[in-house]
Amino acid sequence: MTIRVFLQRAGKSSIRRIAVLLVCVLALSGCDRGTPLALVKAVAAGVPALDPFFDENSGLGKDAQVASRPVRGSLQQGDTPGLYGGSKQPTVCDVEKLKEFLTDPRNDQKAQAWARALKISTDRIPDYLDRLTPVLLRHDTLVKNHDYKKGKAVPYDSLLQAGIAILIDAQGRPAVKCSCGNPLRPFAGDTNRISVKFEDGNQEWKGYDRSSVVAVRPAPRPLEKITLVDVEDTDRGISRPVGTSGAKDSTFDTQEKRAVPNLAGATFGQARRSLTDKGLAAGYDSEGLPPDDARVTATDPPAGTELGFGQYVMLSVAGDSGSSDGSTTTPPPTTTAPPQSSTSEPSAPGSGSGGGSPPPSSAPPSSGPPPGTSPPPSSGSPSPPPSSSPPTTSPPPAVITSPPVTTSTSPPPPVTTSAPPETTSAPATSSTPATTEPPISEPASGEPTQSAAV
């Protein structure tokens, strides 16, 4: 009864306003649910975990003080040169100690939870650990972390500060946080839709930059060696065989110059592999990682520029199917086309096929005898294509190649009168052939734009 009285007093205009307000609120809440921010817990270097798998006072691993370096593209593959760092210290992570702990029958419950988080069986733990390699993060890195609570591995997204020691697998993916033994998996969310939360002693660290956060994707093939940069002496590079802890390291000079290869026309995947083989990192400006089949249109710096190990080469790409994932430069293919064919030009660059595309929508030249020839002097049976229309007041489009005496099949316009055919057909044929030639050569003019755009 109270609601009915209220509605009667409120009137129709007020009810409409309330309804509109409710619709807007529901619409906005629906949008928020569609694109939520992923909550990410910050984990600072040297700060003990609240719920670790392993006692951090036992010396399993030790973090370092490393300033996060800028990144050119938030998604990087595990074989990116300079992605990880190393140290002159013999080990930053004691893999043998972690193996002994997880294979001890007294820790069987933790071992089972640890193995489930990494999607392996407990009997595979020793072999799995033997294939991991200790490194130091050089970027603030997004991962899926795990706490140990009530006998289970509890996953959560976290941001590990640069300088944290981790173990990575043969494809460069984070696998274990060394200081506490917590298992790690790759971050699966959108790196551009995160909300980082600093709490539990993990204060926002100096140099934190949201634009320098990186997530690691697996290298396309298993690696034999991991190339690192010494975090204490960046002029020193470290080549570490996969599955070793530093005893078999070899060193190299990171300042030795490497020339940027010519990558124009290559796919993004090919360009990235070529740069990796050179010891250079592939960068991009788009929010998402460009597809491997996207074509590279330009590099910054250009080909021939000499750079040190691990420096970024920015790749501008354009999608193969007319769509580009975050491309910064797209070739302008329609600058040299004749004015008459401007409506059909956009399809030429997308096809990329040689030999020319079919002429634009003039039907007569594609059927019947050769177009554009001078009218035959004989008055025999005409050979124009059947598609020519009856005589009109304007000159016919392309096929007026026959000046026959008979009026039953000849297309020239002058046959509307009874004047002698020989005198009326000559002017018609002398004016039209010149206008029918350009459509035949149009496709050739569209092809050079492909090379001009590279």
Side-chain angles (χ1 to χ4, degrees):
M1 180 65 69
T2 303
I3 296 175
R4 183 180 301 173
V5 172
F6 170 77
L7 293 176
Q8 289 175 351
R9 291 178 179 177
K12 293 183 178 180
S13 60
S14 298
I15 294 174
R16 289 194 189 99
R17 292 192 189 99
I18 295 172
V20 171
L21 180 61
L22 288 173
V23 169
C24 292
V25 170
L26 290 174
L28 290 174
S29 63
C31 293
D32 290 341
R33 285 196 300 269
T35 55
L37 291 175
L39 180 61
V40 175
K41 295 174 64 176
V43 177
V47 177
L50 295 181
D51 300 288
F53 273 77
F54 192 91
D55 182 5
E56 296 198 39
N57 295 322
S58 300
L60 179 63
K62 185 177 180 182
D63 299 336
Q65 295 297 319
V66 177
S68 179
R69 59 192 298 266
V71 68
R72 301 291 183 263
S74 60
L75 295 175
Q76 293 293 325
Q77 288 191 335
D79 60 349
T80 301
L83 178 65
Y84 297 119
S87 173
K88 293 178 182 178
Q89 297 176 359
T91 60
V92 294
C93 189
D94 195 334
V95 180
E96 289 301 320
K97 186 175 290 188
L98 179 60
K99 186 190 303 183
E100 291 173 6
F101 177 84
L102 291 174
T103 54
D104 189 331
R106 294 173 296 179
N107 301 318
D108 182 64
Q109 189 174 14
K110 280 189 175 181
Q112 290 186 28
W114 192 91
R116 278 195 296 268
L118 292 170
K119 302 185 185 306
I120 61 173
S121 57
T122 53
D123 59 341
R124 285 191 55 204
I125 288 178
D127 180 64
Y128 180 79
L129 287 172
D130 286 340
R131 298 173 185 270
L132 301 183
T133 308
V135 299
L136 293 167
L137 296 178
R138 297 186 73 211
H139 302 276
D140 296 340
T141 304
L142 290 164
V143 296
K144 181 174 287 297
N145 206 340
H146 296 80
D147 279 339
Y148 182 73
K149 294 180 179 180
K150 298 180 179 180
K152 295 182 180 180
V154 180
Y156 65 97
D157 292 327
S158 70
L159 178 66
L160 304 184
Q161 183 185 3
I164 288 179
I166 66 169
L167 294 171
I168 60 173
D169 66 12
Q171 290 181 283
R173 292 173 294 193
V176 181
K177 186 174 182 292
C178 288
S179 64
C180 59
N182 290 6
L184 305 175
R185 299 292 295 168
F187 177 77
D190 185 350
T191 57
N192 300 294
R193 299 284 300 167
I194 63 172
S195 175
V196 181
K197 193 172 184 180
F198 295 86
E199 61 181 5
D200 299 328
N202 297 284
Q203 303 299 322
E204 182 171 330
W205 46 83
K206 183 180 178 181
Y208 168 71
D209 183 358
R210 171 66 186 81
S211 64
S212 292
V213 170
V214 67
V216 181
R217 294 293 179 262
R221 56 186 181 273
L223 306 174
E224 295 182 359
K225 293 184 178 182
I226 306 290
T227 51
L228 313 171
V229 174
D230 192 328
V231 297
E232 298 170 355
D233 179 9
T234 56
D235 290 346
R236 178 178 180 264
I238 300 172
S239 180
R240 178 168 295 170
V242 169
T244 65
S245 299
K248 299 181 180 179
D249 288 354
S250 59
T251 61
F252 61 92
D253 183 7
T254 61
Q255 299 305 309
E256 181 182 349
K257 298 304 180 183
R258 298 156 170 79
V260 176
N262 185 2
L263 302 174
T267 65
F268 183 79
Q270 292 168 341
R272 183 174 50 199
R273 287 191 294 272
S274 179
L275 290 173
T276 299
D277 292 342
K278 284 273 188 179
L280 300 173
Y284 58 93
D285 282 329
S286 58
E287 288 189 355
L289 184 68
D292 277 351
D293 60 355
R295 293 287 169 181
V296 174
T297 59
T299 63
D300 181 21
T305 306
E306 294 189 338
L307 302 174
F309 174 80
Q311 289 189 262
Y312 280 97
V313 177
M314 301 298 292
L315 301 178
S316 298
V317 300
D320 282 345
S321 303
S323 63
S324 60
D325 240 349
S327 70
T328 55
T329 57
T330 50
T334 57
T335 54
T336 59
Q340 277 185 328
S341 62
S342 61
T343 57
S344 61
E345 275 304 306
S347 62
S351 62
S353 58
S357 55
S361 79
S362 51
S366 62
S367 61
T373 57
S374 60
S378 63
S379 59
S381 60
S383 58
S387 60
S388 57
S389 59
T392 60
T393 56
S394 59
V399 186
I400 28 175
T401 58
S402 59
V405 179
T406 60
T407 61
S408 59
T409 58
S410 61
V415 296
T416 55
T417 63
S418 59
E422 288 80 9
T423 58
T424 59
S425 61
T429 56
S430 63
S431 61
T432 52
T435 63
T436 61
E437 289 299 323
I440 301 175
S441 61
E442 282 177 15
S445 67
E447 289 300 315
T449 59
Q450 289 285 345
S451 59
V454 174

